[in-house]
Amino acid sequence: MTLPAATLGDYGLEYCGVIYSLGQGTYYASNPSPLAQRVQVGASRRKSCRPPMQVRDPRGRASIVADFHSHPWFPSSFSSEDRRADTQWYSLRIQFDTHCIIHKLVPHADDDLPGEVYVREGRRWKRVGSILPQDKASGRITAMEEP
């Protein structure tokens, strides 16, 4: 959130990157990059960035497990574009906003399991919704019942 324009709300930049492993059980994050042009879109709150499709790490062969991106405003959950099946390239998607509210999507893109949507609360992930198999194309979330 300290990168240029990362917190400028409706006129800010969305940054993307990936989380990857070199195979020893340790995970790394790529440098975040907007990988898109800055467009002042006002209150529509639709930004775009493209996570990298590969990582070159001189220490070894990188295996990408997740993409991450920031939203330059608060509050912000996953947009419909973030949840759609055709935007899911990796096993996980992490999204955060200017108040460091962190969301996680487990799309289960290549199987019949529902996608899972979580929000970070303290040191735990709280499941807040699911994306039913028939809703994966659109990314429609079905809210979880409160216990």
Side-chain angles (χ1 to χ4, degrees):
M1 300 317 293
T2 60
L3 294 170
T7 59
L8 291 182
D10 298 334
Y11 298 95
L13 276 176
E14 181 175 320
Y15 286 87
C16 291
V18 293
I19 299 170
Y20 65 97
S21 173
L22 298 175
Q24 293 85 24
T26 303
Y27 295 90
Y28 305 91
S30 70
N31 289 327
S33 171
L35 294 179
Q37 293 181 347
R38 183 173 181 183
V39 178
Q40 292 188 345
V41 295
S44 71
R45 295 203 167 172
R46 292 190 62 196
K47 300 289 182 184
S48 66
C49 70
R50 228 181 36 234
M53 299 303 289
Q54 63 180 339
V55 173
R56 292 187 187 129
D57 189 315
R59 298 171 293 178
R61 185 167 185 238
S63 175
I64 299 173
V65 296
D67 63 65
F68 66 85
H69 67 275
S70 64
H71 283 175
W73 56 79
F74 170 84
S76 180
S77 58
F78 285 115
S79 69
S80 59
E81 290 82 10
D82 293 333
R83 301 184 314 257
R84 284 192 337 240
D86 64 348
T87 65
Q88 305 308 314
W89 300 320
Y90 306 115
S91 300
L92 298 170
R93 170 162 286 167
I94 304 294
Q95 181 262 302
F96 49 94
D97 62 28
T98 59
H99 287 183
C100 291
I101 305 299
I102 305 169
H103 291 86
K104 175 174 78 171
L105 171 63
V106 183
H108 295 295
D110 297 325
D111 56 43
D112 292 332
L113 293 171
E116 301 167 297
V117 181
Y118 296 87
V119 67
R120 189 75 175 179
E121 289 187 350
R123 294 178 175 249
R124 299 181 55 165
W125 290 105
K126 177 183 178 188
R127 189 170 165 199
V128 294
S130 64
I131 301 174
L132 302 175
Q134 64 267 27
D135 295 329
K136 285 184 179 183
S138 68
R140 182 178 159 283
I141 295 177
T142 300
M144 299 296 297
E145 294 288 326
E146 289 290 328

